[in-house]
Amino acid sequence: QVQLAESGGGLVQPGGSLRVSCAASGSIFSINAMGWYRQAPGKERELVAGITSSGNTNYADSVKGRFTISRDNAKNTVYLQMTSLKPEDTAVYYCNAVLQRRIGGPWYKYWGQGTQVTVSS
């Protein structure tokens, strides 16, 4: 079994900062890309940021310059540092990981259960 456990969500005022984390655990041989998505009420899930195993990153235009994605490969953990938060950043944030469970095995995408981030005064 593989589990992705997010943590760090919560309520923050506009202009504030928050860091969410996601740790992958279980039967894992190798992790390729990891990323963060979000879904606001009534909207589709959208990509926020992604990072490859070598550290290459990409961001949604709406968060460029405000959010930073990083990862600790030794801990199978991905982070999303969010600054200058806006009310429109309010959403459930989901992490995902593309990983192999055994050497030479297929690559699958796994999802976390989501963590709520609310930006409000």
Side-chain angles (χ1 to χ4, degrees):
Q1 280 284 28
V2 173
Q3 291 185 333
L4 271 62
E6 295 115 333
S7 61
L11 174 64
V12 62
Q13 292 187 344
S17 299
L18 200 63
R19 189 178 83 155
V20 290
S21 304
C22 172
S25 62
S27 179
I28 299 170
F29 172 72
S30 179
I31 300 178
N32 191 349
M34 304 184 81
W36 288 95
Y37 286 69
R38 67 186 181 187
Q39 187 167 20
K43 294 188 177 181
E44 294 187 352
R45 190 173 297 189
E46 63 175 359
L47 173 68
V48 176
I51 185 168
T52 67
S53 56
S54 58
N56 293 317
T57 59
N58 63 289
Y59 296 92
D61 287 343
S62 59
V63 306
K64 281 181 181 177
R66 300 188 298 121
F67 290 11
T68 302
I69 189 171
S70 61
R71 64 190 281 175
D72 184 333
N73 291 331
K75 295 181 179 179
N76 289 342
T77 299
V78 62
Y79 306 94
L80 185 67
Q81 178 69 49
M82 301 179 284
T83 64
S84 301
L85 282 160
K86 306 174 181 179
E88 51 263 44
D89 294 318
T90 296
V92 178
Y93 283 70
Y94 298 91
C95 71
N96 74 2
V98 178
L99 59 88
Q100 270 182 324
R101 297 187 61 186
R102 58 180 172 80
I103 185 170
W107 293 91
Y108 288 118
K109 179 180 286 188
Y110 289 83
W111 291 87
Q113 80 287 352
T115 185
Q116 177 70 46
V117 172
T118 301
V119 185
S120 175
S121 55

